[in-house]
Amino acid sequence: MFQKPPFIIAIDGPTASGKGTLASKIAQALGFEYMDTGALYRGVAKTALDQGLDPAQEKEAVQAAHLLHKNYDLSLQNDPTIRTERVSKGASEVAAVQEVRDILFMLQQDFSTHPCAGVVMEGRDIGTVICPNADVKLFIDASSEVRAQRRFKQLKDKKIPADYEDILKQLHIRDGRDSGRSIAPTRPAEDAVILNTSTMTAQEVLERSLEIIRRKRL
Ligand code: DC
């Protein structure tokens, strides 16, 4: 039914930049399929923790990645148990291991090439490593204070106790780990459109992104 390869939209950006919400809204608007690639790293960390393995130990992280690869299902990205603080920390540890990234690369590549109209993939290295030939590349950024404020509000809205200063501190630590690592650091691809969303509403970011995508799909 689908003769052409899927239209690929790569969305990268740091923690709490709003790229997840944006990516799923774009997929919905265009009828495309959506992959949250952070869920894969979270899945590896969760698998490790469930099996009594230590995500901070390279060999054990690789073992967990093999297990995840064997049992992977896209619905993992909807599992709330991969969003805990403990799993988030483990995810940023396993994400720094090249062999783990290689194992997850295959899952991501399969997704980006399977027959369908289009895919939206969101993460840290989609435009640079996973889909360097993506049709549209967006890099979603915002100041750390704005990102911390958004995360704070999200938690408050869900009635989860939260401390702004603590969130900001954790965000700096995670940014440092994700951007400072030598393997696949978070950075925009040379041909990515960078959207600094610090002063934009979520709706404005969505409209601007759809405008950019429509121009490329003409
Ligand atoms: O986007 P997230 O917070 O769910 O990502 C979880 C961790 O995985 C985070 O430390 C960054 C890392 N990650 C990555 O290294 N590469 C990706 N493509 C996606 C996420």
Side-chain angles (χ1 to χ4, degrees):
M1 182 181 161
F2 296 103
Q3 308 281 318
K4 288 193 296 185
F7 188 91
I8 301 176
I9 301 171
I11 303 184
D12 291 302
T15 297
S17 54
K19 65 188 187 313
T21 315
L22 173 69
S24 67
K25 280 192 187 152
I26 290 175
Q28 218 178 356
L30 302 176
F32 285 6
E33 295 183 27
Y34 164 58
M35 181 186 253
D36 161 9
T37 65
L40 298 172
Y41 296 91
R42 290 174 177 275
V44 172
K46 170 104 190 341
T47 303
L49 294 167
D50 287 352
Q51 299 289 320
L53 299 167
D54 181 355
Q57 296 297 319
E58 235 178 273
K59 269 197 180 149
E60 297 179 37
V62 171
Q63 213 178 320
H66 280 298
L67 280 173
L68 182 93
H69 185 258
K70 227 181 336 174
N71 302 309
Y72 175 71
D73 185 289
L74 191 63
S75 63
L76 170 72
Q77 62 197 32
N78 305 318
D79 178 353
T81 66
I82 64 167
R83 310 277 164 199
T84 63
E85 206 36 55
R86 202 164 157 243
V87 173
S88 302
K89 179 174 175 288
S92 71
E93 290 163 348
V94 304
V97 178
Q98 185 61 55
E99 211 177 325
V100 169
R101 303 196 74 87
D102 292 342
I103 295 164
L104 301 183
F105 180 84
M106 296 181 252
L107 287 173
Q108 295 170 81
Q109 206 175 40
D110 285 351
F111 185 80
S112 72
T113 53
H114 82 279
C116 65
V119 296
V120 184
M121 296 179 72
E122 166 246 312
R124 303 291 195 288
D125 61 344
I126 309 301
T128 49
V129 178
I130 306 295
C131 302
N133 297 321
D135 298 280
V136 177
K137 295 181 188 177
L138 301 176
F139 191 88
I140 309 302
D141 208 354
S143 71
S144 45
E145 288 75 17
V146 168
R147 288 185 285 129
Q149 195 59 50
R150 287 177 186 161
R151 177 65 42 97
F152 177 68
K153 186 174 176 305
Q154 258 173 10
L155 293 170
K156 290 275 279 204
D157 288 349
K158 287 187 195 161
K159 310 237 178 312
I160 298 172
D163 177 69
Y164 170 79
E165 289 304 329
D166 188 47
I167 292 173
L168 184 61
K169 193 173 132 208
Q170 295 304 326
L171 205 119
H172 280 144
I173 294 173
R174 208 160 293 157
D175 275 356
R177 235 188 260 141
D178 293 339
S179 307
R181 67 185 180 212
S182 56
I183 300 167
T186 307
R187 64 172 176 81
E190 273 178 22
D191 52 347
V193 177
I194 301 174
L195 289 181
N196 188 322
T197 68
S198 296
T199 59
M200 292 168 87
T201 65
Q203 186 59 27
E204 283 167 346
V205 181
L206 175 65
E207 281 166 16
R208 176 88 187 92
S209 304
L210 287 172
E211 219 177 86
I212 294 166
I213 294 164
R214 284 197 187 108
R215 243 184 283 138
K216 290 271 188 167
R217 284 186 87 198
L218 283 179

